[in-house]
């Protein structure tokens, strides 16, 4: 099958990946209401078609936090991407660099910060708040030494949401002989993945946190360690502590409420990502795109506002820009492409998104994405 859309990459990933890893990418928390809303609410937004305008020259570039994006898209942090393709985070970083867009590395990546940074352009680094502040300090020092230009400080995971699909697949809660046999059979029945990832993609650890975890044998054991070490006591004062260690731009990821966005401004953040963690945390909350306009209106002049959640096409990107985002970060979309075939598939996906964005710009009369505003939307009753 030749992939033409994000849904096609999803299907290719479903075929190629062991079930436990596909469900980890694809699923959300609880009944997945918010996961569904993220996509449905963007689909419900209508663009306003305009004609007979000179669209011979398009400018998709944006400048943000001292960087130039070739198009207003970045690759969001995705945990354990290295289990979807051999050294997956490295492949994703190379694809992003080739497309001229940022890649944000997850704390729970298979490849360590240093390996990803050495592959090309140093990534943005995403940080979870962990109980061990000493280890966090060490992790931030490593990110800084690797040349990471921006810190994405994730604030919506003081405790992990329950993801029913991961329980059903055996990704979490699976132990003993039956768990081992289930995992082995899942791998054996996906031989392309076995050869690419299981045999050639080692080590299968969470590279950036491996030094802190001494009693784990499987990559899923590392996730259990991370879950036990999330810090429920985190407050905005912790951003002051991070600032003592990190002197670069800080983007707060996981904001859905206007008052929280204002708190991010008061705390000295340089940006925020409107996000509900891809529908993987508190199920039943609003979609990212429905929260975006009020947040952008309230704080957009004080910091950079990005959006993450539900982006499945270049048309979706333009809708988010029209509602106040500087750029969009995609998570599942690139994870599907990586699982479908590595760096080459991510490159193809990004080319598709760019082409779709161009069509949307031309047919809405938007020659420059930096000028995108509410006038691009059809808000008729």
């Amino acid at each position: 099958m030749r992939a033409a859309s994000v849904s096609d990459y999803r299907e290719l990933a479903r075929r190629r990946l062991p079930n436990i890893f596909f469900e980890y990418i694809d699923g959300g928390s609880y009944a997945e209401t918010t996961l569904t809303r993220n996509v449905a609410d963007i689909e419900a937004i209508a663009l306003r078609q305009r004609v007979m305008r000179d669209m011979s020259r398009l400018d998709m570039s944006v400048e943000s936090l001292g960087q130039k994006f070739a198009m207003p898209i970045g690759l969001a942090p995705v945990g354990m991407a290295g289990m979807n393709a051999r050294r997956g985070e490295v492949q994703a970083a190379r694809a992003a660099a080739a497309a001229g867009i940022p890649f944000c590395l997850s704390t729970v990546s298979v490849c360590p910060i240093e390996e990803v940074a050495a592959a090309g352009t140093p990534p943005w680094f995403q940080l979870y708040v962990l109980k061990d502040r000493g280890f966090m300090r060490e992790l931030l020092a490593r990110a800084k030494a690797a040349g990471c230009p921006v810190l994405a400080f994730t604030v919506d995971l003081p405790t992990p949401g329950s993801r029913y699909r991961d329980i059903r697949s055996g990704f979490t809660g699976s132990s003993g002989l039956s768990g081992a046999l289930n995992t082995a059979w899942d791998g054996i029945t996906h031989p392309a993945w076995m050869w690419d990832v299981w045999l050639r993609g080692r080590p299968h650890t969470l590279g950036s946190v491996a030094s802190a975890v001494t009693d784990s044998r499987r990559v899923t054991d590392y996730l259990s360690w991370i879950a036990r070490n999330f810090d429920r006591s985190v407050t905005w004062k912790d951003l002051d502590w991070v600032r003592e260690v990190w002197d670069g731009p800080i983007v707060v990821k996981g904001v859905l409420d206007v008052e929280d966005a204002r708190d991010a401004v008061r705390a000295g953040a340089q940006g925020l990502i409107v996000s509900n963690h891809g529908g993987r945390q508190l199920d039943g909350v609003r979609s990212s795109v429905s929260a975006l306009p009020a947040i952008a209106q309230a704080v957009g002049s004080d910091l950079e506002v990005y959006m993450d959640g539900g982006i499945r096409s270049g048309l979706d990107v333009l809708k988010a820009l029209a509602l106040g985002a500087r750029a969009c970060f995609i998570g599942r979309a690139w994870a599907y492409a990586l699982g479908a075939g590595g760096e080459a598939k991510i490159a193809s996906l990004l080319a598709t998104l760019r082409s779709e964005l161009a069509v949307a710009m031309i047919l809405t009369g938007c020659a420059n994405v930096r000028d995108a505003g509410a006038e691009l939307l059809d808000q008729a009753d």
Side-chain angles (χ1 to χ4, degrees), residues 260-323:
D260 287 339
R262 291 185 174 129
D263 283 339
V265 174
R266 287 189 283 266
Q270 283 69 51
L272 63 84
I273 301 176
V274 179
S275 171
N276 50 40
H277 216 95
R280 295 165 70 81
Q281 278 299 96
L282 180 60
D283 195 30
V285 298
R286 67 190 314 170
S287 65
S288 296
V289 76
S290 68
L292 173 62
I295 290 176
Q297 184 175 9
V299 304
S301 61
D302 297 315
L303 42 60
E304 297 285 63
V305 176
Y306 311 103
M307 196 200 86
D308 171 288
I311 298 294
R312 297 294 185 268
S313 72
L315 283 69
D316 294 345
V317 172
L318 190 61
K319 292 175 184 181
L321 300 186
L323 292 171

Coordinates of all heavy atoms in Angstrom, one line a residue, residues 260-323:
D260 N -4.0 28.8 33.7 CA -2.7 28.2 33.7 C -1.8 28.8 32.7 O -0.5 28.9 33.0 CB -2.9 26.7 33.4 CG -3.5 25.9 34.6 OD1 -3.4 26.4 35.7 OD2 -4.0 24.8 34.3
A261 N -2.3 29.2 31.6 CA -1.5 29.9 30.6 C -0.9 31.2 31.2 O 0.3 31.6 31.0 CB -2.3 30.2 29.3
R262 N -1.8 32.0 31.9 CA -1.3 33.2 32.5 C -0.2 32.9 33.6 O 0.7 33.7 33.8 CB -2.5 34.0 33.1 CG -3.4 34.5 32.0 CD -4.5 35.4 32.7 NE -5.4 36.0 31.6 CZ -6.7 35.9 31.6 NH1 -7.4 35.2 32.5 NH2 -7.3 36.6 30.6
D263 N -0.4 31.8 34.3 CA 0.6 31.4 35.3 C 1.9 31.1 34.6 O 3.0 31.4 35.2 CB 0.1 30.2 36.1 CG -0.9 30.5 37.1 OD1 -1.0 31.7 37.5 OD2 -1.6 29.6 37.5
A264 N 1.9 30.5 33.4 CA 3.1 30.3 32.7 C 3.8 31.5 32.3 O 5.1 31.6 32.4 CB 2.8 29.4 31.4
V265 N 3.1 32.6 31.9 CA 3.7 33.9 31.7 C 4.3 34.4 32.9 O 5.5 34.9 32.9 CB 2.6 34.9 31.1 CG1 3.2 36.3 31.0 CG2 2.0 34.4 29.8
R266 N 3.6 34.4 34.0 CA 4.1 34.9 35.3 C 5.4 34.1 35.7 O 6.3 34.7 36.4 CB 3.1 34.9 36.4 CG 2.0 36.0 36.2 CD 1.1 36.0 37.4 NE 0.1 34.9 37.4 CZ -1.1 35.0 36.9 NH1 -1.5 36.1 36.3 NH2 -2.0 34.0 37.0
A267 N 5.4 32.9 35.4 CA 6.6 32.0 35.8 C 7.8 32.2 34.9 O 8.8 31.7 35.2 CB 6.2 30.6 35.8
G268 N 7.6 33.0 33.9 CA 8.8 33.4 33.0 C 9.0 32.4 31.9 O 10.1 32.4 31.3
A269 N 8.0 31.6 31.5 CA 8.2 30.7 30.3 C 8.2 31.6 29.0 O 7.7 32.7 28.9 CB 7.0 29.7 30.2
Q270 N 8.9 31.1 28.0 CA 9.0 31.7 26.8 C 8.0 31.2 25.8 O 7.7 31.8 24.7 CB 10.4 31.6 26.1 CG 11.5 32.4 26.8 CD 11.8 32.0 28.2 OE1 12.1 30.9 28.4 NE2 11.8 33.0 29.1
G271 N 7.4 30.1 26.1 CA 6.4 29.5 25.2 C 5.5 28.5 25.9 O 5.8 28.1 27.1
L272 N 4.4 28.1 25.3 CA 3.6 27.1 25.9 C 3.0 26.3 24.7 O 2.8 26.8 23.6 CB 2.5 27.6 26.8 CG 1.4 28.5 26.3 CD1 0.3 27.7 25.7 CD2 0.9 29.4 27.4
I273 N 2.7 25.0 25.0 CA 2.1 24.1 24.0 C 0.7 23.8 24.6 O 0.6 23.2 25.6 CB 2.9 22.9 23.8 CG1 4.3 23.2 23.3 CG2 2.2 21.9 22.8 CD1 5.2 22.0 23.1
V274 N -0.3 24.3 23.9 CA -1.7 23.9 24.2 C -1.9 22.4 23.9 O -1.8 22.0 22.7 CB -2.7 24.8 23.5 CG1 -4.1 24.3 23.8 CG2 -2.5 26.2 23.8
S275 N -2.1 21.6 24.9 CA -2.1 20.2 24.7 C -2.8 19.4 25.8 O -2.7 19.9 27.0 CB -0.6 19.7 24.6 OG -0.5 18.3 24.6
N276 N -3.4 18.3 25.5 CA -4.0 17.4 26.5 C -3.3 16.1 26.5 O -3.8 15.1 26.8 CB -5.5 17.2 26.3 CG -5.9 16.9 24.9 OD1 -5.2 16.1 24.3 ND2 -6.9 17.4 24.4
H277 N -2.0 16.1 26.1 CA -1.1 15.0 26.1 C -1.7 13.9 25.1 O -1.6 12.7 25.3 CB -1.0 14.3 27.4 CG 0.4 13.8 27.7 ND1 1.3 14.5 28.3 CD2 0.9 12.6 27.4 CE1 2.4 13.7 28.4 NE2 2.2 12.6 27.9
G278 N -2.3 14.4 24.0 CA -2.8 13.5 23.0 C -3.9 12.7 23.4 O -4.2 11.6 22.9
G279 N -4.7 13.2 24.4 CA -5.8 12.4 25.0 C -5.3 11.2 25.8 O -6.1 10.2 26.0
R280 N -4.1 11.3 26.3 CA -3.5 10.1 27.1 C -3.5 10.3 28.6 O -3.0 9.5 29.3 CB -2.1 9.9 26.5 CG -2.1 9.4 25.1 CD -0.7 9.5 24.5 NE 0.2 8.5 25.0 CZ 0.3 7.2 24.6 NH1 -0.6 6.8 23.7 NH2 1.2 6.4 25.1
Q281 N -4.1 11.5 29.0 CA -4.1 11.7 30.5 C -5.5 11.8 31.0 O -6.1 10.8 31.2 CB -3.3 13.0 30.7 CG -1.8 12.8 30.7 CD -1.3 11.9 31.8 OE1 -1.2 10.7 31.6 NE2 -1.2 12.4 33.1
L282 N -6.0 13.0 31.3 CA -7.4 13.1 31.8 C -8.4 13.0 30.7 O -8.6 14.0 30.0 CB -7.5 14.4 32.6 CG -8.8 14.7 33.3 CD1 -9.2 13.6 34.3 CD2 -8.9 16.1 33.9
D283 N -9.1 11.9 30.6 CA -10.1 11.7 29.6 C -11.3 12.6 29.9 O -11.7 12.7 31.1 CB -10.4 10.3 29.5 CG -11.2 10.0 28.2 OD1 -10.9 10.7 27.2 OD2 -12.0 9.0 28.2
G284 N -11.9 13.1 28.9 CA -13.1 13.9 29.1 C -12.9 15.4 29.1 O -13.8 16.2 29.1
V285 N -11.6 15.8 29.0 CA -11.3 17.2 28.9 C -11.5 17.7 27.5 O -11.6 16.8 26.6 CB -9.9 17.6 29.4 CG1 -9.7 17.2 30.9 CG2 -8.8 16.9 28.6
R286 N -11.5 19.0 27.3 CA -11.7 19.5 26.0 C -10.5 19.2 25.0 O -9.4 18.9 25.5 CB -11.9 21.0 26.1 CG -10.7 21.8 26.5 CD -11.1 23.2 26.8 NE -12.0 23.8 25.8 CZ -12.6 25.0 25.9 NH1 -12.5 25.7 27.0 NH2 -13.3 25.4 24.9
S287 N -10.8 19.4 23.8 CA -9.7 19.2 22.8 C -8.7 20.3 22.8 O -9.0 21.4 23.3 CB -10.3 19.1 21.4 OG -11.0 20.3 21.0
S288 N -7.5 20.1 22.3 CA -6.5 21.1 22.3 C -7.0 22.3 21.4 O -6.8 23.5 21.8 CB -5.2 20.6 21.7 OG -4.7 19.6 22.5
V289 N -7.6 22.0 20.2 CA -8.0 23.1 19.3 C -9.1 24.0 19.9 O -9.1 25.2 19.7 CB -8.3 22.5 17.9 CG1 -9.7 21.9 17.9 CG2 -8.2 23.6 16.9
S290 N -10.0 23.4 20.7 CA -11.0 24.2 21.3 C -10.5 25.1 22.4 O -11.1 26.1 22.7 CB -12.2 23.3 21.8 OG -11.7 22.5 23.0
A291 N -9.4 24.7 23.1 CA -8.8 25.5 24.1 C -7.9 26.6 23.5 O -7.6 27.6 24.2 CB -8.0 24.6 25.1
L292 N -7.4 26.4 22.3 CA -6.4 27.3 21.7 C -6.8 28.7 21.6 O -6.0 29.6 22.0 CB -6.0 26.7 20.4 CG -5.1 27.6 19.5 CD1 -3.7 27.8 20.2 CD2 -4.9 26.9 18.1
P293 N -8.0 29.1 21.0 CA -8.2 30.5 20.8 C -8.2 31.4 22.0 O -7.6 32.5 22.0 CB -9.6 30.5 20.1 CG -9.8 29.1 19.6 CD -9.1 28.2 20.5
A294 N -8.8 30.9 23.1 CA -8.9 31.8 24.3 C -7.5 31.9 24.9 O -7.1 33.0 25.4 CB -9.8 31.1 25.3
I295 N -6.7 30.9 24.9 CA -5.3 31.0 25.4 C -4.5 31.9 24.6 O -3.8 32.8 25.1 CB -4.7 29.6 25.5 CG1 -5.4 28.7 26.6 CG2 -3.2 29.6 25.7 CD1 -4.9 27.3 26.7
A296 N -4.6 31.8 23.2 CA -3.8 32.6 22.4 C -4.2 34.1 22.5 O -3.3 35.0 22.5 CB -4.0 32.2 20.9
Q297 N -5.5 34.3 22.7 CA -5.9 35.7 22.9 C -5.5 36.3 24.2 O -5.1 37.4 24.3 CB -7.5 35.8 22.8 CG -8.0 37.2 22.9 CD -9.6 37.2 22.7 OE1 -10.2 36.2 22.7 NE2 -10.1 38.4 22.6
A298 N -5.4 35.4 25.2 CA -5.1 35.9 26.6 C -3.6 36.2 26.7 O -3.2 37.1 27.4 CB -5.5 34.9 27.6
V299 N -2.7 35.3 26.1 CA -1.3 35.4 26.4 C -0.4 35.4 25.2 O 0.8 35.5 25.3 CB -0.8 34.2 27.3 CG1 -1.6 34.2 28.6 CG2 -0.9 32.9 26.5
G300 N -1.0 35.4 24.0 CA -0.2 35.3 22.8 C 0.8 36.4 22.5 O 1.8 36.1 21.9
S301 N 0.6 37.5 23.1 CA 1.6 38.6 22.9 C 2.7 38.5 23.9 O 3.7 39.2 23.8 CB 0.9 40.0 23.0 OG 0.3 40.1 24.3
D302 N 2.6 37.7 24.9 CA 3.6 37.6 26.0 C 4.5 36.4 25.8 O 5.6 36.4 26.4 CB 2.9 37.4 27.3 CG 2.0 38.6 27.7 OD1 2.5 39.8 27.5 OD2 0.9 38.5 28.1
L303 N 4.1 35.4 25.0 CA 5.0 34.2 24.8 C 4.5 33.5 23.5 O 3.5 33.9 22.9 CB 5.0 33.3 26.0 CG 3.7 32.9 26.7 CD1 2.7 32.3 25.9 CD2 4.0 32.0 27.9
E304 N 5.3 32.5 23.1 CA 4.9 31.8 21.9 C 3.9 30.7 22.2 O 4.1 30.0 23.2 CB 6.2 31.1 21.3 CG 7.2 32.1 20.8 CD 6.8 32.8 19.5 OE1 5.8 33.5 19.5 OE2 7.6 32.6 18.5
V305 N 2.8 30.7 21.4 CA 1.8 29.7 21.7 C 1.8 28.6 20.5 O 1.7 29.0 19.3 CB 0.4 30.3 21.7 CG1 -0.7 29.3 21.9 CG2 0.3 31.3 22.9
Y306 N 2.0 27.4 20.9 CA 2.0 26.3 19.9 C 0.8 25.4 20.3 O 0.2 25.5 21.4 CB 3.2 25.4 20.0 CG 4.5 26.2 20.0 CD1 5.3 26.5 21.1 CD2 5.0 26.7 18.8 CE1 6.5 27.2 21.1 CE2 6.2 27.5 18.7 CZ 6.9 27.7 19.9 OH 8.1 28.4 19.8
M307 N 0.4 24.5 19.4 CA -0.6 23.5 19.7 C -0.2 22.1 19.3 O 0.5 21.9 18.3 CB -1.9 23.9 18.9 CG -3.2 23.1 19.4 SD -4.5 23.0 18.3 CE -4.1 21.6 17.3
D308 N -0.7 21.1 20.1 CA -0.4 19.7 19.9 C -1.7 19.0 20.1 O -2.3 19.2 21.2 CB 0.7 19.3 20.8 CG 1.0 17.8 20.9 OD1 0.1 17.0 21.4 OD2 2.0 17.4 20.3
G309 N -2.0 18.1 19.2 CA -3.2 17.2 19.5 C -4.2 17.2 18.3 O -4.8 18.2 18.1
G310 N -4.3 16.1 17.6 CA -5.3 16.0 16.6 C -4.9 16.4 15.2 O -5.7 16.3 14.3
I311 N -3.7 16.9 15.0 CA -3.3 17.3 13.7 C -3.0 16.1 12.8 O -2.2 15.2 13.1 CB -2.0 18.2 13.7 CG1 -2.2 19.4 14.6 CG2 -1.5 18.5 12.3 CD1 -3.1 20.4 14.0
R312 N -3.8 16.0 11.7 CA -3.7 14.9 10.8 C -3.5 15.3 9.3 O -3.4 14.5 8.5 CB -5.0 14.0 10.9 CG -5.3 13.4 12.2 CD -4.2 12.4 12.6 NE -4.5 11.7 13.8 CZ -4.1 12.1 15.0 NH1 -3.3 13.2 15.1 NH2 -4.4 11.4 16.1
S313 N -3.4 16.6 9.1 CA -3.1 17.1 7.7 C -2.6 18.5 7.7 O -2.6 19.2 8.7 CB -4.4 17.0 6.9 OG -5.3 18.1 7.3
G314 N -2.1 18.9 6.6 CA -1.7 20.3 6.4 C -2.8 21.3 6.5 O -2.6 22.4 7.0
L315 N -4.0 20.9 6.2 CA -5.2 21.7 6.3 C -5.4 22.0 7.8 O -5.8 23.1 8.2 CB -6.4 21.0 5.7 CG -6.6 21.1 4.2 CD1 -5.5 20.2 3.5 CD2 -8.0 20.6 3.8
D316 N -5.3 20.9 8.6 CA -5.4 21.1 10.1 C -4.4 22.1 10.6 O -4.7 22.9 11.6 CB -5.2 19.8 10.8 CG -6.3 18.7 10.5 OD1 -7.3 19.1 9.9 OD2 -6.0 17.5 10.8
V317 N -3.2 22.1 10.1 CA -2.2 23.0 10.6 C -2.6 24.5 10.3 O -2.6 25.3 11.2 CB -0.8 22.8 9.8 CG1 0.2 23.9 10.1 CG2 -0.3 21.4 10.2
L318 N -3.2 24.7 9.1 CA -3.6 26.1 8.8 C -4.8 26.5 9.7 O -4.9 27.7 10.2 CB -4.0 26.2 7.4 CG -4.3 27.7 6.9 CD1 -3.0 28.5 7.0 CD2 -4.8 27.7 5.4
K319 N -5.7 25.6 10.1 CA -6.8 25.9 11.0 C -6.2 26.3 12.3 O -6.7 27.3 12.9 CB -7.7 24.7 11.1 CG -8.5 24.3 9.9 CD -9.2 23.0 10.1 CE -10.0 22.6 8.8 NZ -10.7 21.3 9.0
A320 N -5.2 25.6 12.8 CA -4.7 26.0 14.1 C -3.9 27.3 14.1 O -4.0 28.1 15.0 CB -3.7 24.9 14.6
L321 N -3.2 27.6 13.0 CA -2.6 28.9 12.9 C -3.6 30.0 12.9 O -3.4 31.1 13.5 CB -1.8 29.0 11.6 CG -0.6 27.9 11.4 CD1 0.2 28.3 10.2 CD2 0.3 27.9 12.6
A322 N -4.8 29.8 12.2 CA -5.8 30.8 12.1 C -6.4 31.0 13.5 O -6.9 32.1 13.7 CB -6.9 30.3 11.1
L323 N -6.3 30.1 14.4 CA -6.9 30.2 15.7 C -5.8 30.7 16.7 O -6.2 30.8 17.9 CB -7.5 28.9 16.2 CG -8.7 28.4 15.4 CD1 -9.1 27.0 15.8 CD2 -9.9 29.4 15.7

